[in-house]
Amino acid sequence: MPTPHTPTAGTYQPTTLGEHLIPRHYTRWIKKTAWAVAIANIVLIISGGIVRLTGSGLGCDAWPRCTSDGSWTTTPEMGIHGMVEFGNRLLTFVLVAVTVIAFLAVLGVVFPKRLSPISFLWGLLVGARPEAYKAGGLGAWLESRGLVAPRSRYSDLFNLTLLLLWGIPVQAVVGGISVWLRLNPWMITAHYMLSALMIMLAGIYLNRVYRYFEGTAAREGLSPAGQSRGEDAYAPASAHLMRALGWIGVVLVVALMFMGTVTTGTGPHAGDAETHRHAFNPVWATRMHGTLVWVYCASVLGFFVLWKQKGWAPIFGKSLVFVLVVLGYQAVVGYTQYFNGLPIWLVEMHLIGSGIFALAASSLFERQLVLSSPAAREKAAGRVLTS
């Protein structure tokens, strides 16, 4: 039977605005905010692409202020470039608002019992401790007195939203350093890779919201907590292959996205006419990026074959289709832009695809790594909402 603080699917109806925004049990509002965070981070990549492709990277030539003479906002003399760059900076505040809303939306589900201010601040600083913490000891004593955040069935959701929150100021600082260094291409790489990481965290968060609350656990071969789980604690047949391909996917995705930024750093779209570029051969950089993409595609197709042969979880079909469709789109756009002199509208379409690809790839390898591990499967099954 569920504990007194375990939500039951479909029974909880918020009655006030506060309960709608910070529900005590799971509602579809949490799923909506999870999607909003993912989309907002992809929009930030789109906006950053517009800044770079229009040559507006130094439209605001200082940071955190917009101008070196102390103005926080753009001025008419800065023209369209100033407006584009300042608009991109303002989108950071939109991302903050969306992420805070998502954090608050899941807070009541993660901690059904009211937290003391000290507990809440401690949780904001270091995250929620996993439920595997042993009973007794100093940690239990501190928890019993409300000095640290209590153990939670959904501590992973809290920690993921917390990482998404902490990532925003880190990303802002990296962006500011990029301006100080006059759009050094290595700093632009760091800026983009952080954005991709944020999208991947959002993808993992989405996976887990759907797994715990929206019924995808059944298609993953998991049963809700409190029900007989049979072989849920055991990994599927040839799980070592699933796990190996999951980690190979992680490495290849990071490598191909990194090489994508290096390729961009050798190309003509610098963000400002006076910004220096990488001295690498742009053709070879492009070929290396393309080769990594094809190797990753081969690993995904290999996983597809194994998925059919081994009878792995049906949900992988959805993840594989998502990844392969995005890869196909990226291939068409990427080769078209390469053979047509990198027109800015095609480069922007490729950037949009890269954000969606980060979401698709993270959804796939999160499932590969969780479902191939007996310990992770057991933990995930224990978090599935009862119906």
Side-chain angles (χ1 to χ4, degrees):
M1 294 294 292
T3 67
H5 297 288
T6 299
T8 303
T11 61
Y12 175 65
Q13 295 295 329
T15 57
T16 66
L17 179 61
E19 286 188 359
H20 180 78
L21 296 177
I22 313 176
R24 291 177 288 113
H25 304 308
Y26 177 76
T27 68
R28 296 293 171 85
W29 172 244
I30 293 173
K31 180 179 71 173
K32 292 175 181 177
T33 60
W35 273 110
V37 169
I39 292 169
N41 277 284
I42 292 173
V43 168
L44 206 63
I45 280 184
I46 296 171
S47 174
I50 292 172
V51 170
R52 180 167 59 83
L53 294 170
T54 58
S56 304
L58 295 177
C60 286
D61 60 1
W63 188 87
R65 297 177 186 269
C66 186
T67 65
S68 54
D69 60 5
S71 174
W72 286 98
T73 62
T74 185
T75 62
E77 293 77 17
M78 298 165 71
I80 187 65
H81 295 313
M83 293 175 61
V84 171
E85 167 61 10
F86 186 67
N88 180 60
R89 294 189 182 191
L90 289 180
L91 277 178
T92 300
F93 296 99
V94 176
L95 180 60
V96 169
V98 170
T99 309
V100 167
I101 289 171
F103 174 78
L104 294 175
V106 80
L107 194 61
V109 174
V110 175
F111 301 122
K113 296 180 180 179
R114 186 173 180 178
L115 291 175
S116 71
I118 294 176
S119 298
F120 183 72
L121 290 174
W122 178 265
L124 282 178
L125 289 173
V126 300
R129 293 180 297 115
E131 52 274 80
Y133 192 92
K134 294 181 179 179
L138 177 61
W141 185 85
L142 292 171
E143 181 183 307
S144 68
R145 284 155 180 78
L147 298 178
V148 298
R151 287 168 286 181
S152 170
R153 178 178 172 185
Y154 298 114
S155 57
D156 60 331
L157 299 184
F158 180 86
N159 292 333
L160 283 166
T161 53
L162 187 62
L163 281 171
L164 286 163
L165 270 174
W166 277 112
I168 298 172
V170 173
Q171 181 74 307
V173 170
V174 171
I177 295 173
S178 301
V179 172
W180 291 346
L181 297 180
R182 318 310 289 175
L183 306 183
N184 180 290
W186 289 118
M187 288 306 305
I188 299 302
T189 287
H191 200 40
Y192 174 85
M193 293 301 289
L194 274 172
S195 291
L197 176 60
M198 296 277 280
I199 295 171
M200 289 179 184
L201 288 173
I204 293 170
Y205 180 60
L206 269 168
N207 263 19
R208 298 191 178 189
V209 167
Y210 273 84
R211 177 179 299 134
Y212 301 158
F213 308 117
E214 290 289 330
T216 62
R219 297 179 62 200
E220 293 176 328
L222 301 173
S223 301
Q227 295 183 11
S228 174
R229 293 200 287 271
E231 297 183 356
D232 274 357
Y234 302 97
S238 303
H240 62 285
L241 290 176
M242 182 191 296
R243 193 161 189 81
L245 285 171
W247 282 115
I248 289 170
V250 172
V251 172
L252 286 173
V253 166
V254 172
L256 70 87
M257 297 186 90
F258 173 79
M259 278 308 303
T261 66
V262 172
T263 302
T264 299
T266 66
H269 303 300
D272 187 83
E274 298 181 1
T275 299
H276 75 274
R277 314 301 287 142
H278 288 311
F280 307 130
N281 184 311
V283 174
W284 282 104
T286 302
R287 287 176 179 173
M288 185 173 293
H289 171 59
T291 298
L292 287 168
V293 173
W294 283 113
V295 172
Y296 176 70
C297 187
S299 76
V300 172
L301 291 173
F303 181 78
F304 174 82
V305 172
L306 287 170
W307 169 63
K308 300 295 285 186
Q309 288 181 346
K310 305 295 183 182
W312 289 338
I315 193 67
F316 281 120
K318 181 178 179 180
S319 291
L320 286 165
V321 168
F322 191 10
V323 169
L324 291 173
V325 167
V326 178
L327 280 173
Y329 166 87
Q330 285 291 79
V332 170
V333 175
Y335 281 109
T336 303
Q337 69 172 7
Y338 178 75
F339 289 113
N340 286 276
L342 302 175
I344 61 173
W345 68 275
L346 277 175
V347 176
E348 182 66 14
M349 288 180 66
H350 201 53
L351 272 171
I352 295 170
S354 74
I356 300 172
F357 171 72
L359 188 68
S362 64
S363 177
L364 176 60
F365 64 63
E366 191 273 347
R367 287 196 169 107
Q368 290 172 311
L369 297 177
V370 168
L371 299 183
S372 63
S373 165
R377 285 175 65 87
E378 178 70 11
K379 185 176 291 186
R383 290 167 171 165
V384 177
L385 181 66
T386 53
S387 57

